[in-house]
């Protein structure tokens, strides 16, 4: 039996271009959308979402190309652009009657959330990013052997064909290596780990396409916003490991260039904070929503 977020219903919601998103939805009231990261699905919010569903409608979609959501073939660079994936999220929330919503994302989901905040500032009321830098900054801080920590970014940035074949040939080892390297041995119950691996194994091509977009069209979009001086206008909270100390950059300063109303917090936790330290994530989101 597939594990689910306790007390939430699984629904299908329309994105854009005919794509349907699978989402776990619970609670009632103003909307809060939670976007998962890699190599995960909406299940990663299973400890956080129920805590926030009192007085709020909490919507946890699988991103296009992940989990039980549709995974269209990447017929061009825009299919998995974060701009397109952000438009999916806006459309899905609107289908549930929410024209405006708060938005939080982890890892890949945070990149989608950032793009939604930049493209739809009249829709996104609050924004939380968990353990990622904006795409433009992520590539800028990777230099020399330090870039080895993000080796998968370079693999999946390659032209279509070889990356997909390499990942598919070792799918469980490939995706499992990130669960092991970025988490702890006992962080994921057996059924949850099995579900993450199953879901990723079934979505190799679209996951690679998502990453490939971040080495191309997503950079173009971020660069255009930076050149135009666009910033996130809503209150922003960032939760991040101390990657700056390890890789030699000032994370708060990088984020400050994107957000004027910024609460930047360094968290003593691994990458999968919503599962390792759900109390910290819930507390930060409640604080953000009160601003």
């Amino acid at each position: 039996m597939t594990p689910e977020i306790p007390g939430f219903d699984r629904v299908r919601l329309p994105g854009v271009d005919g794509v349907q998103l699978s989402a776990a939805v619970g609670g009632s009231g103003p909307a809060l959308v939670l976007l998962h990261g890699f190599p995960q699905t909406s299940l990663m919010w299973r400890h956080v979402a129920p805590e926030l569903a009192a007085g709020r409608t909490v919507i946890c979609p699988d991103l296009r190309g992940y989990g039980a959501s549709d995974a269209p073939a990447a017929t061009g660079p825009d299919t998995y652009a974060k701009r397109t994936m952000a438009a999916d999220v806006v459309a899905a929330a609107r289908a549930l009657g929410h024209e405006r919503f708060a938005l939080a994302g982890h890892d890949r989901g945070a990149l989608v959330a950032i793009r939604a905040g930049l493209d739809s500032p009249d829709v996104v009321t609050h924004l939380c990013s968990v353990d990622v830098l904006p795409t433009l900054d992520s590539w800028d801080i990777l230099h020399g052997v330090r870039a080895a920590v993000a080796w998968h970014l370079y693999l999946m940035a390659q032209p279509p064909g070889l990356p997909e074949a390499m990942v598919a040939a070792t799918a469980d080892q490939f995706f499992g290596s990130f669960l092991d390297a970025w988490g702890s041995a006992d962080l994921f119950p057996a059924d949850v780990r099995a579900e993450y691996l199953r879901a990723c194994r079934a979505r190799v091509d679209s996951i690679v396409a998502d990453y490939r977009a971040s080495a191309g069209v997503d950079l173009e979009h971020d660069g255009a916003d930076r050149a135009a001086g666009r910033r996130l206008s809503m209150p922003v909270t960032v939760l991040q490991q101390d990657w700056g100390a390890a890789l030699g950059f000032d994370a708060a300063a990088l984020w400050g260039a994107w957000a004027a109303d910024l609460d930047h917090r360094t968290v003593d936790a691994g990458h999968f904070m919503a599962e390792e330290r759900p109390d910290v994530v819930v507390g930060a989101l409640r604080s953000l929503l009160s601003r």
Side-chain angles (χ1 to χ4, degrees):
M1 185 174 181
T2 303
E4 283 285 3
I5 298 174
F8 277 50
D9 296 321
R10 178 65 56 174
V11 300
R12 301 285 291 180
L13 299 171
V16 296
D17 303 326
V19 166
Q20 294 279 314
L21 302 185
S22 173
V25 180
S28 61
L32 167 64
V33 179
L34 304 177
L35 304 178
H36 67 86
F38 165 90
Q40 299 159 291
T41 68
S42 55
L43 183 61
M44 65 157 282
W45 298 110
R46 65 195 179 280
H47 303 309
V48 170
E51 294 294 323
L52 296 167
R56 287 193 174 270
T57 300
V58 181
I59 307 165
C60 305
D62 291 337
L63 298 169
R64 73 159 56 195
Y66 288 82
S69 289
D70 289 352
T75 55
D78 292 333
T79 305
Y80 287 95
K82 301 308 152 295
R83 172 159 289 160
T84 305
M85 296 169 85
D88 282 338
V89 173
V90 172
R94 183 172 292 130
L96 289 173
H98 300 282
E99 295 292 333
R100 305 184 76 216
F101 54 86
L103 182 58
H106 171 254
D107 189 84
R108 308 304 294 172
L111 300 180
V112 176
I114 294 163
R115 177 46 53 196
L118 289 167
D119 286 355
S120 302
D122 56 332
V123 173
V124 179
T125 63
H126 302 75
L127 191 147
C128 179
S129 169
V130 182
D131 212 38
V132 80
L133 288 173
T135 301
L136 195 64
D137 299 309
S138 292
W139 288 107
D140 283 348
I141 60 100
L142 296 172
H143 301 289
V145 296
R146 293 185 306 187
V149 71
W151 63 275
H152 59 300
L153 300 183
Y154 295 89
L155 171 63
M156 293 192 278
Q158 303 309 308
L162 184 60
E164 291 87 345
M166 292 176 67
V167 173
T170 59
D172 283 5
Q173 292 169 288
F174 178 80
F175 295 114
S177 71
F178 300 103
L179 298 176
D180 295 336
W182 299 343
S184 59
D186 59 350
L187 184 57
F188 306 106
D191 62 336
V192 171
R193 181 186 178 92
E195 175 58 18
Y196 288 159
L197 294 180
R198 183 208 61 77
C200 289
R201 192 188 314 125
R203 291 289 188 261
V204 169
D205 287 2
S206 52
I207 291 172
V208 174
D210 166 37
Y211 272 86
R212 186 176 289 118
S214 287
V217 66
D218 295 341
L219 276 174
E220 295 173 13
H221 293 159
D222 275 14
D225 283 336
R226 175 64 57 83
R230 296 190 190 94
R231 303 175 79 192
L232 295 163
S233 58
M234 67 289 300
V236 175
T237 291
V238 172
L239 305 178
Q240 211 151 20
Q241 298 179 78
D242 198 4
W243 283 110
L247 297 177
F249 64 90
D250 185 338
L254 292 178
W255 268 103
W258 290 102
D261 186 356
L262 174 66
D263 177 12
H264 187 279
R265 305 184 184 191
T266 300
V267 180
D268 183 16
H271 181 62
F272 303 111
M273 293 180 191
E275 289 162 290
E276 181 181 343
R277 295 295 309 276
D279 57 324
V280 170
V281 175
V282 168
L285 285 171
R286 284 176 173 158
S287 177
L288 170 65
L289 295 169
S290 71
R291 285 158 62 188

